[in-house]
Amino acid sequence: MQPNDRTAAAIDAEIPRAQERLAILALAIAAFALNLNMLVLGAVLPFLPDELTPGDDAESTLLGAAALCSALAALVAGPIADRVGRKRLLVIGMIAFAASSALQAFASSYSWMLFGRALSGAAVGAAYASAS
């Protein structure tokens, strides 16, 4: 047998290994997005205009909205992923996270910022739950 000859069993063994690597990569990306979503606002809060943080309670509400929506979305993501597929839900979640991040970046009022935070939390929660 030549060193370059590969049996069908060896090729079949590589397929699950490649799928496993893709699953780990998807989980790592979703976990990064989840952590980014939770941590980045704390670093940005001092630089936000007063319209986006009308008081001390507003800052904690912005932080809590993402966490609450992330937890709620993770709870319902399982049954949704069973219907539409985990890969599709992961992609939808990551696209929604990118769109909600853009919404937050260009928010002109506290209400839009809060909506963007809640949407990004839900998006990341669904993506993370579908990847794990």
Side-chain angles (χ1 to χ4, degrees):
M1 179 184 239
Q2 297 291 333
N4 292 335
D5 291 342
R6 296 173 30 191
T7 65
I11 293 170
D12 288 343
E14 287 180 11
I15 292 172
R17 188 174 293 163
Q19 288 176 341
E20 182 178 313
R21 287 184 182 137
L22 284 175
I24 291 170
L25 178 64
L27 182 59
I29 291 170
F32 174 76
L34 178 66
N35 288 317
L36 177 69
N37 190 41
M38 292 297 143
L39 298 176
V40 77
L41 188 64
V44 173
L45 274 174
F47 304 103
L48 290 178
D50 291 338
E51 306 88 56
L52 297 182
T53 56
D56 291 337
D57 291 340
E59 294 176 358
S60 59
T61 303
L62 288 174
L63 292 168
L68 176 66
C69 290
S70 180
L72 293 174
L75 290 174
V76 299
I80 293 171
D82 290 341
R83 287 190 199 127
V84 301
R86 295 195 177 281
K87 183 178 179 180
R88 180 176 288 163
L89 185 60
L90 174 65
V91 170
I92 290 169
M94 295 310 292
I95 290 171
F97 173 69
S100 63
S101 295
L103 175 67
Q104 292 173 67
F106 297 107
S108 59
S109 69
Y110 175 74
S111 299
W112 280 110
M113 184 66 141
L114 183 62
F115 177 71
R117 291 293 297 161
L119 184 61
S120 68
V124 170
Y128 187 74
S130 67
S132 56

